[in-house]
Amino acid sequence: MNQYYKDYLIRSWEKHHRIPASEVIRCVLAEYGLGWEPDGADKDVLQIEECYLATGGEFWVVEYQNQVVGTGAYYPILRGQKAVEIRKMYLLPQVRGFGVGKYLLQQLEETIKKRGFEQIWIETASVLVEAVRLYENNGYKAATGVETARCDRVYVKKLGVRS
């Protein structure tokens, strides 16, 4: 992945992105009063190779003026039918409101669909109001079975099916 949206570059994760990507996620979590969990829910960010690349997933970063300002990722999961989970979709506050999140979500969906997956699952927390709105406005339906402790919402979207 190497694609521009306005002045933002969405690109595939490389090793030198590990710390900047972690910092973006840590900052956004703190902004909403959620904790950084390097031994729990955020362990995957420190182990991109094992958790994403080796499992058939992808991890992307969003750069603005050569700085990592956002992240987005997915990997295959056993829940549902030919399913993936979108994870770690975070944008720093200064880059929100310009359509970057919606564009990033659309690019993730297109890539996932091209790879033959049929369902996308997303877990989030109600306090992440912008994320909840983004998912609900883009065809994600509330589901049950939250698996991440700090999350209280789970959504699913069937690809190729209009809602």
Side-chain angles (χ1 to χ4, degrees), residues 50-152:
E50 299 88 343
C51 295
Y52 292 91
L53 309 183
T55 63
E58 294 185 61
F59 195 102
W60 300 345
V61 295
V62 180
E63 292 182 347
Y64 179 74
Q65 297 179 341
N66 296 315
Q67 298 294 311
V68 175
V69 296
T71 60
Y74 71 91
Y75 55 51
I77 56 171
L78 297 177
R79 179 193 299 198
Q81 182 77 24
K82 291 187 182 175
V84 300
E85 181 176 349
I86 287 181
R87 295 183 51 82
K88 305 304 180 203
M89 210 171 132
Y90 292 99
L91 292 174
L92 290 176
Q94 63 267 30
V95 299
R96 292 185 206 138
F98 300 108
V100 181
K102 183 175 182 178
Y103 184 81
L104 179 60
L105 182 61
Q106 289 169 341
Q107 293 307 304
L108 285 163
E109 289 177 357
E110 283 180 28
T111 299
I112 289 164
K113 188 173 183 175
K114 283 180 191 166
R115 294 195 53 206
F117 293 102
E118 297 174 5
Q119 286 183 345
I120 299 173
W121 291 78
I122 296 176
E123 291 191 5
T124 192
S126 295
V127 295
L128 300 170
V129 178
E130 296 92 342
V132 168
R133 189 177 317 118
L134 177 67
Y135 303 141
E136 290 180 351
N137 289 342
N138 284 280
Y140 287 83
K141 303 297 180 196
T144 57
V146 173
E147 297 174 349
T148 306
R150 72 172 170 230
C151 296
D152 63 355

Side-chain angles (χ1 to χ4, degrees), residues 143-161:
T144 57
V146 173
E147 297 174 349
T148 306
R150 72 172 170 230
C151 296
D152 63 355
R153 291 177 180 245
V154 62
Y155 292 93
V156 64
K157 182 175 184 176
K158 293 182 170 77
L159 297 174
V161 177

Side-chain angles (χ1 to χ4, degrees), residues 13 16-31 36 38 42 45-46 59 61 67-71 90-94 96:
W13 180 88
H16 69 274
H17 293 128
R18 190 179 322 274
I19 299 305
S22 310
E23 286 303 311
V24 165
I25 294 166
R26 184 192 321 245
C27 288
V28 174
L29 289 170
E31 175 189 354
W36 165 254
D42 300 308
V45 178
L46 303 173
F59 195 102
V61 295
Q67 298 294 311
V68 175
V69 296
T71 60
Y90 292 99
L91 292 174
L92 290 176
Q94 63 267 30
R96 292 185 206 138

